[in-house]
Amino acid sequence: MKVRSRKRAFPKVTSIVLTAALLLTAFPFSAQAGDTWPFQGDSAHGKNQPSVHGYTSGHILDWSPERDPDAEWLRSHVPLQKRIEPLAATQANPALNPEVRMMNVAGDYGNAFIENAPYTNKFAQYHFNFWQYVDYYSYWHGTATAYTPPEYYDELAQKDWQQKWFEFGILNIPNPTYTDAAHKNGVLSLAGIFFSNNDRGQQTYKQMLVKDENGEFPVAKKLIEMARYFGYDGYFVNQEEQSPNVATRDIPDYIAFMKALQEDGLYVQWYDSLDTRDGANKFARTFNDNNISFLYDKHAGERVSPILFL
C-alpha cells in the first residue's frame, strides 16, 4: 500500500482546548473524564475483530507492521484535506479572531481502554458532529496493550478509571475511523503519549529517551515510522510521572526528543505538566521562564513545539 508523505510546515497559532482545558487563556477550566464498559451481547468484541491497542516503549522500539496485531486494519488512508478559509461575514460573531484554533482531547470509539474497535455494529456510538469547529483531535488516556487479556477489565478495574493495573501502553495511536473523519474535515489527528506511574507500572520516560551510538533517539524514529504507516499527524505528549520525578539532567534530552519528532514534519504538542527546575509534576497554568523551554529552546534558538497545552 502506498503511504503518502505528509511533511509540511504548521502555523504558529493560538489554540483553545475543548473538553480538557482552555489553552493560552487566563480563564478557569474544568476537566472531566469517564470510562465505558465493553460492549455486550451481539455487540461484544469478536474473536478476530481488529482492535486499537497501546504500546510500551519496548513495543515501539521493536515495532514493525508485520509484528503488530491488526496493524493493517488500523490505518487511515484519507488524506488531510485543505480547510475553507474563515469568512468573517458568515460568522455569528464577525469580530472573532480567525487565528484561534480549537483542540478536542477525547476518548475513543466504544470502549476507552480495552477492545477499542475501529468498526462495530453500534452506529454513532460516539458520533461527533462538529468537526468544522475543531482544528486538532487527540487522546488523553492511553490504552491497554494488545497482550492484555480482556477479562482484566472487570468490576474492580471499572470502579476508578485513574487506577488501571493491567498493562497500559505509553502510546495510544488514534482510532483510524476518527482520523478518517478528522482528515475529511481538515483536522489534524494526534496520537497520545502518556507517562503516569500510578497506572503505567515500571514504564518511564527514560525508556523512551534512550540514545543509540550516534546520539539519536531510536524510539523517536519508530514513532515517526508509525505515524507515517497509520496515517496520523503527530503526538500530544503528557509527562505526569512523580515520585520519582523526571531527572533534571534528562530535560535537555526530552527537549531534543521533541525536536526529533518534528524534524520529519510531525506536529507535536507538549502538556504543561513538568517543572523544569526540579522535574516535578506541576502545572503552571501560565507561561513562565520555566515551561517556555518546551516551546522555545533559548540556548539553541529553536522551536521545540508549536503549542503548549495549559
Side-chain angles (χ1 to χ4, degrees):
M1 295 182 178
K2 183 178 180 181
V3 180
R4 63 194 177 280
S5 174
R6 305 266 295 284
K7 189 170 184 178
R8 58 192 179 276
F10 295 101
K12 296 179 180 178
V13 296
T14 304
S15 293
I16 296 178
V17 175
L18 273 192
T19 305
L22 291 177
L23 176 63
L24 302 183
T25 73
F27 301 119
F29 67 86
S30 64
Q32 296 185 2
D35 203 352
T36 54
W37 282 107
F39 291 136
Q40 304 295 323
D42 61 359
S43 297
H45 200 81
K47 182 178 180 181
N48 297 310
Q49 188 172 1
S51 180
V52 177
H53 44 266
Y55 301 81
T56 67
S57 292
H59 294 150
I60 297 168
L61 193 59
D62 295 330
W63 182 85
S64 73
E66 296 75 23
R67 291 195 295 268
D68 189 358
D70 301 329
E72 181 182 357
W73 311 110
L74 301 178
R75 306 177 73 182
S76 167
H77 297 284
V78 176
L80 180 66
Q81 301 299 303
K82 181 177 175 59
R83 302 197 82 164
I84 299 173
E85 293 295 327
L87 179 61
T90 66
Q91 304 303 310
N93 182 354
L96 289 177
N97 183 354
E99 290 300 310
V100 172
R101 298 288 191 258
M102 186 174 291
M103 180 174 179
N104 185 14
V105 182
D108 278 330
Y109 184 80
N111 184 339
F113 292 103
I114 284 184
E115 297 178 345
N116 170 20
Y119 315 100
T120 76
N121 64 352
K122 290 285 188 181
F123 176 74
Q125 176 71 14
Y126 291 103
H127 193 54
F128 184 60
N129 295 311
F130 304 102
W131 288 108
Q132 68 270 33
Y133 299 112
V134 175
D135 297 278
Y136 310 100
Y137 182 82
S138 182
Y139 299 85
W140 64 268
H141 54 69
T143 193
T145 69
Y147 312 100
T148 303
E151 56 267 24
Y152 284 11
Y153 196 90
D154 56 16
E155 185 176 357
L156 180 62
Q158 173 68 13
K159 287 181 178 178
D160 184 358
W161 63 266
Q162 298 182 77
Q163 304 292 334
K164 301 295 187 187
W165 297 108
F166 39 75
E167 184 179 56
F168 263 59
I170 59 100
L171 170 64
N172 178 195
I173 68 170
N175 189 311
T177 53
Y178 272 82
T179 301
D180 286 346
H183 283 176
K184 289 176 183 178
N185 291 275
V187 176
L188 269 63
S189 176
L190 309 179
I193 294 175
F194 186 19
F195 287 100
S196 171
N197 56 350
N198 73 325
D199 54 13
R200 297 300 186 272
Q202 300 303 308
Q203 298 178 73
T204 78
Y205 73 92
K206 286 181 176 290
Q207 297 157 341
M208 184 177 73
L209 299 186
V210 63
K211 292 182 179 180
D212 61 19
E213 62 275 9
N214 298 317
E216 298 178 328
F217 300 100
V219 171
K221 291 181 179 180
K222 281 294 185 179
L223 287 172
I224 293 168
E225 184 183 348
M226 292 177 76
R228 298 288 178 240
Y229 178 84
F230 289 114
Y232 55 86
D233 305 287
Y235 294 94
F236 174 68
V237 184
N238 182 358
Q239 173 62 56
E240 291 197 51
E241 287 176 82
Q242 53 185 310
S243 302
N245 297 337
V246 172
T248 54
R249 65 179 178 275
D250 292 334
I251 290 175
D253 281 345
Y254 222 138
I255 291 173
F257 185 91
M258 296 278 287
K259 290 181 185 178
L261 289 178
Q262 295 178 91
E263 286 172 358
D264 203 53
L266 296 184
Y267 179 92
V268 181
Q269 184 171 153
W270 177 259
Y271 185 36
D272 171 37
S273 57
L274 178 65
D275 190 322
T276 58
R277 293 167 296 186
D278 57 10
N281 175 217
K282 297 177 184 175
F283 305 93
R285 308 192 192 282
T286 187
F287 285 121
N288 56 37
D289 195 55
N290 168 38
N291 62 15
I292 200 72
S293 58
F294 276 95
L295 272 177
Y296 183 74
D297 185 342
K298 292 179 289 186
H299 300 291
E302 297 173 345
R303 187 182 77 173
V304 179
S305 64
I307 278 180
L308 186 72
F309 176 111
L310 297 181

